[in-house]
Amino acid sequence: MKKKVTLKQIARELDVSISTVSKSLRNSLEIGEETRLKVQAFAKFYHYKPNNIALSLKNRKTKTIGIIIPEIVHYFFSTVINGIEQIANENGYSVIICLSDDSFDKEVLNMEMLANGSIDGFIMSLSKETQQKGDFHHITEVINQGMPVVMFDRVTNDILCDKVIINDELSAYGAVQSLIDKGRKKIALLTTVDYVSVGKFRTDGYTKALRDNGLAFDENLIIKIENVDNCEITIATLLEDKAFDAVFAVNELFAVTIIKIAHKMGIKVPEDLAVIAFTDGIISKYSTPTISTVTQNGIEMGNVAAKILIERLESEEKELEEYEEEIYKTVVIETHLIERESTN
Amino acid sequence: MKKKVTLKQIARELDVSISTVSKSLRNSLEIGEETRLKVQAFAKFYHYKPNNIALSLKNRKTKTIGIIIPEIVHYFFSTVINGIEQIANENGYSVIICLSDDSFDKEVLNMEMLANGSIDGFIMSLSKETQQKGDFHHITEVINQGMPVVMFDRVTNDILCDKVIINDELSAYGAVQSLIDKGRKKIALLTTVDYVSVGKFRTDGYTKALRDNGLAFDENLIIKIENVDNCEITIATLLEDKAFDAVFAVNELFAVTIIKIAHKMGIKVPEDLAVIAFTDGIISKYSTPTISTVTQNGIEMGNVAAKILIERLESEEKELEEYEEEIYKTVVIETHLIERESTN
DNA sequence: CTGAAAGCGCTTACAG
DNA sequence: CTGAAAGCGCTTACAG
């Protein structure tokens, strides 16, 4: 068990000062070539690597990014993490991930934990509960301390910071329009209870598309699902009545659920019922029939979020404390429609 | 922009020494009550929180766990992370996650990066490439430095450390047996090229189940898939010949693929073809028909892995360097069969 | 060309 | 009861 070697040990071993070792390893020309090479050879032999923690303390930056997301077992979020990780690694950053489990308290706790020096900046997506409460003090606080925050997907207008989002309303509009273009007239909306920002915007897009196309808006065709495992009867009743010939689901889980119910009832998708879903994931790709979706490019969201954060981090170094007004940007990532079997 | 407050600032403000502040905040009875309360009140008011990095450096432990996995966009691994995170948080640890992308080089890089003081111990699952190469020097090195490693799922016998696995062979055996119990005679195996340890074990279980039941082993019924997007013809040909009436797939992606091909050809699942898959995930649950699977309880694997690691971390503190032989354990997590529509 | 000193933010054994 | 000192592992401005 050979413990990691430190500058101190190398110094003692080689009978020089710690400063000399440090400078040699950083290739300072202050140090004579002979000594420098000797130290470097020795360090290499013992696999010397500087201690990250010591560097962090000294430099007052950790070269790590904190990510806080509601859920990791969720294709979209995993995808975003992938995107962040990619850019982070390219720039010599690590990522430390905390899950809020959609709980306000966990989100606060995790942020406080990470904010105490462990990371240089945050990339986060709000928990449902946080959106519900509308309490963002923990985020304000972190920002006030000078730690940059980039929000993605589930963001809020109440916080001034960089944001990476998609245009939920417009994308929903496009999805519904595509159904209309295929001649569907009675389009239902399968949505959640609406305190989550994105759910609301998607509903808005749906409503607008109907209106712009002169289609009647029918309150009864807005189906709010609280619990997926428990919505079969409601949906079955509506299907029974042939109340609609197409459905726009705000997520793929809802989409596959209605497809399965329809299947059981002998209703054919897409012939009798066209289905389109928001958020492209694993389910849509492998469902039978495969499901048309609006893709949220998670990788790209992650990439962009990481780039913005890192840029801010690195620029801070120079213009330290220049009191120009902070100018935050909101980047809108393009979505697009993937047409699959469910809309034929 | 009020930067985080430090002990030093509090000390200056209150005109006492840094030591006094530190002790007061840690409630040392060395300090007089009056001073202690005064300091505490002040600290509270300014939201003082100790700097994690400084603590890490001082204590020579970071209270964070490094996780290295091949892929995060993969239900099983996300699930394990969830399990780890849960236990970690309960014990005041954070997790820092790195992805190897199934690349040996990235795995090595990430390990070296984290090993330089950023974390106290590893939980990891080997990348495919690492398993292929059989090169584990990076892991040995970390262990030699005294940093505990817990491996899960994709492990190797070449490294002595704690492990959390399932019994792949036995579980595969069980899955195949269940098909036999339902009267299936010609059972195909849908598998990968076999350098990944678990793939091999699952194949062994398949073979053994056939043998124990006196069923003929037919080389032609072992279908090795290199690329899922590209296997349709092979499978279709075999299906055409009615070469088999059941299939055991080593993952759910293969299972859903064969179901879709069968569906196209008018072959009924489960009537004409029963399908069972290894690893329960999102796809199996929402496929049509839903797919019977062997579940790998990722949450539990994560829980157990985290518990083992933390226990080792905390026990190290006491018996520091007691040179008793390290005794490593391998925990086998129970799997079980979830019967769904695909095996009726 | 080399090294002692100060410092990043903290803790703790030791003096007083 | 309070504080100065040493130290975790490093870097760098400053002496010599």
Side-chain angles (χ1 to χ4, degrees), chain B residues 39-59:
Chain B
V39 171
Q40 288 178 359
F42 190 91
K44 186 162 187 188
F45 182 73
Y46 282 102
H47 295 113
Y48 171 77
K49 293 272 168 48
N51 179 306
N52 290 330
I53 294 292
L55 285 179
S56 295
L57 187 59
K58 181 71 192 165
N59 301 333

Side-chain angles (χ1 to χ4, degrees), chain B residues 264-281:
Chain B
K264 267 192 218 161
M265 300 173 64
I267 295 174
K268 283 198 183 123
V269 176
E271 294 81 349
D272 306 329
L273 180 70
V275 177
I276 194 162
F278 214 101
T279 308
D280 189 46

Side-chain angles (χ1 to χ4, degrees), chain B residues 17 19-20 23 30 32 35 58 60:
Chain B
S17 77
S19 325
T20 303
K23 285 175 191 157
E30 245 187 301
T35 325
K58 181 71 192 165
R60 290 135 127 273

Side-chain angles (χ1 to χ4, degrees), chain A residues 80-280:
Chain A
V80 176
I81 290 180
N82 247 329
I84 296 172
E85 229 252 344
Q86 213 170 287
I87 300 296
N89 282 184
E90 278 171 22
N91 291 275
Y93 284 77
S94 323
V95 307
I96 165 163
I97 299 177
C98 287
L99 310 176
S100 67
D101 285 337
D102 270 321
S103 137
F104 174 77
D105 291 341
K106 258 199 98 179
E107 185 176 296
V108 173
L109 236 52
N110 281 328
M111 278 201 90
E112 283 177 353
M113 180 169 203
L114 295 186
N116 294 325
S118 305
I119 61 162
D120 296 339
F122 282 101
I123 296 181
M124 70 182 301
S125 194
L126 294 169
S127 82
K128 272 188 198 156
E129 224 188 324
T130 306
Q131 294 196 305
Q132 232 175 133
K133 290 179 89 120
D135 181 348
F136 308 111
H137 77 276
H138 50 304
I139 305 175
T140 318
E141 192 160 312
V142 157
I143 293 177
N144 281 341
Q145 283 166 196
M147 188 167 277
V149 173
V150 178
M151 299 221 219
F152 71 91
D153 198 52
R154 278 146 65 164
V155 306
T156 173
N157 284 329
D158 295 0
I159 295 282
L160 281 178
C161 67
D162 295 306
K163 288 163 197 169
V164 183
I165 52 172
I166 57 164
N167 189 328
D168 281 279
E169 183 177 332
L170 200 64
S171 306
Y173 187 102
V176 174
Q177 184 63 252
S178 82
L179 292 170
I180 296 171
D181 291 346
K182 294 214 164 69
R184 307 287 168 158
K185 302 282 185 211
K186 290 179 293 181
I187 301 171
L189 171 69
L190 231 56
T191 186
T192 43
V193 280
D194 54 10
Y195 45 77
V196 178
S197 59
V198 296
K200 186 180 169 318
F201 294 136
R202 291 173 194 174
T203 304
D204 290 348
Y206 161 82
T207 319
K208 205 162 165 197
L210 293 189
R211 190 180 339 116
D212 287 0
N213 285 275
L215 291 180
F217 169 81
D218 181 353
E219 185 74 49
N220 296 318
L221 292 186
I222 299 204
I223 312 169
K224 289 195 185 175
I225 294 180
E226 184 105 37
N227 178 356
V228 214
D229 302 322
N230 191 7
C231 59
E232 186 157 346
I233 309 161
T234 329
I235 292 176
T237 316
L238 283 160
L239 281 172
E240 193 87 7
D241 299 347
K242 291 195 198 302
F244 49 91
D245 58 10
V247 61
F248 167 52
V250 298
N251 63 48
E252 55 170 8
L253 189 52
F254 290 175
V256 75
T257 303
I258 197 167
I259 288 179
K260 280 184 165 290
I261 296 173
H263 182 72
K264 265 191 219 163
M265 299 173 63
I267 296 173
K268 284 200 182 121
V269 176
E271 294 80 350
D272 306 330
L273 180 70
V275 178
I276 196 162
F278 214 102
T279 308
D280 188 45

Side-chain angles (χ1 to χ4, degrees), chain B residues 23-272:
Chain B
K23 285 175 191 157
S24 298
L25 293 179
R26 323 199 87 239
N27 247 318
S28 160
L29 347 112
E30 245 187 301
I31 305 294
E33 175 151 16
E34 194 187 354
T35 325
R36 202 168 3 119
L37 294 180
K38 185 178 63 178
V39 171
Q40 288 178 359
F42 190 91
K44 186 162 187 188
F45 182 73
Y46 282 102
H47 295 113
Y48 171 77
K49 293 272 168 48
N51 179 306
N52 290 330
I53 294 292
L55 285 179
S56 295
L57 187 59
K58 181 71 192 165
N59 301 333
R60 290 135 127 273
K61 63 179 174 223
T62 61
K63 283 284 202 171
T64 110
I65 294 173
I67 303 181
I68 299 191
I69 52 170
E71 221 356 308
I72 203 170
V73 185
H74 192 313
Y75 190 77
F76 171 65
F77 285 120
S78 306
T79 283
V80 176
I81 290 180
N82 247 328
I84 296 172
E85 229 252 344
Q86 213 169 289
I87 300 296
N89 282 184
E90 278 171 22
N91 291 275
Y93 284 77
S94 322
V95 306
I96 163 163
I97 299 178
C98 288
L99 310 176
S100 66
D101 285 337
D102 269 321
S103 136
F104 175 76
D105 291 340
K106 258 199 98 179
E107 185 177 294
V108 173
L109 235 53
N110 280 328
M111 278 201 88
E112 282 176 355
M113 180 170 202
L114 295 187
N116 294 326
S118 305
I119 61 161
D120 295 339
F122 282 101
I123 296 179
M124 70 182 302
S125 194
L126 295 169
S127 83
K128 273 188 198 156
E129 224 188 324
T130 306
Q131 293 196 305
Q132 233 175 131
K133 289 179 89 121
D135 182 348
F136 308 112
H137 77 274
H138 51 305
I139 305 175
T140 318
E141 193 160 311
V142 157
I143 294 177
N144 281 341
Q145 283 167 197
M147 189 168 276
V149 173
V150 177
M151 301 224 234
F152 73 90
D153 197 51
R154 279 146 62 163
V155 306
T156 173
N157 283 328
D158 295 1
I159 295 280
L160 282 177
C161 68
D162 295 305
K163 289 163 197 168
V164 183
I165 52 172
I166 57 163
N167 189 328
D168 281 280
E169 184 178 331
L170 200 65
S171 305
Y173 187 102
V176 175
Q177 184 63 251
S178 83
L179 292 170
I180 296 171
D181 291 346
K182 294 214 165 72
R184 308 287 168 158
K185 302 283 185 210
K186 290 180 292 182
I187 300 170
L189 171 69
L190 232 56
T191 185
T192 41
V193 281
D194 53 11
Y195 46 77
V196 178
S197 58
V198 296
K200 188 182 168 317
F201 294 135
R202 290 173 195 175
T203 304
D204 291 348
Y206 162 81
T207 320
K208 205 162 164 197
L210 293 188
R211 192 182 336 117
D212 287 359
N213 285 274
L215 290 180
F217 169 81
D218 181 352
E219 186 73 48
N220 296 318
L221 293 186
I222 300 205
I223 311 169
K224 289 194 184 175
I225 295 179
E226 186 105 35
N227 178 356
V228 214
D229 301 323
N230 189 10
C231 59
E232 186 158 344
I233 308 160
T234 329
I235 292 176
T237 316
L238 282 161
L239 281 172
E240 192 87 7
D241 299 347
K242 290 193 199 305
F244 48 91
D245 57 9
V247 61
F248 167 54
V250 298
N251 63 48
E252 56 169 9
L253 189 52
F254 290 174
V256 76
T257 304
I258 198 168
I259 288 179
K260 281 184 163 288
I261 297 173
H263 182 73
K264 267 192 218 161
M265 300 173 64
I267 295 174
K268 283 198 183 123
V269 176
E271 294 81 349
D272 306 329

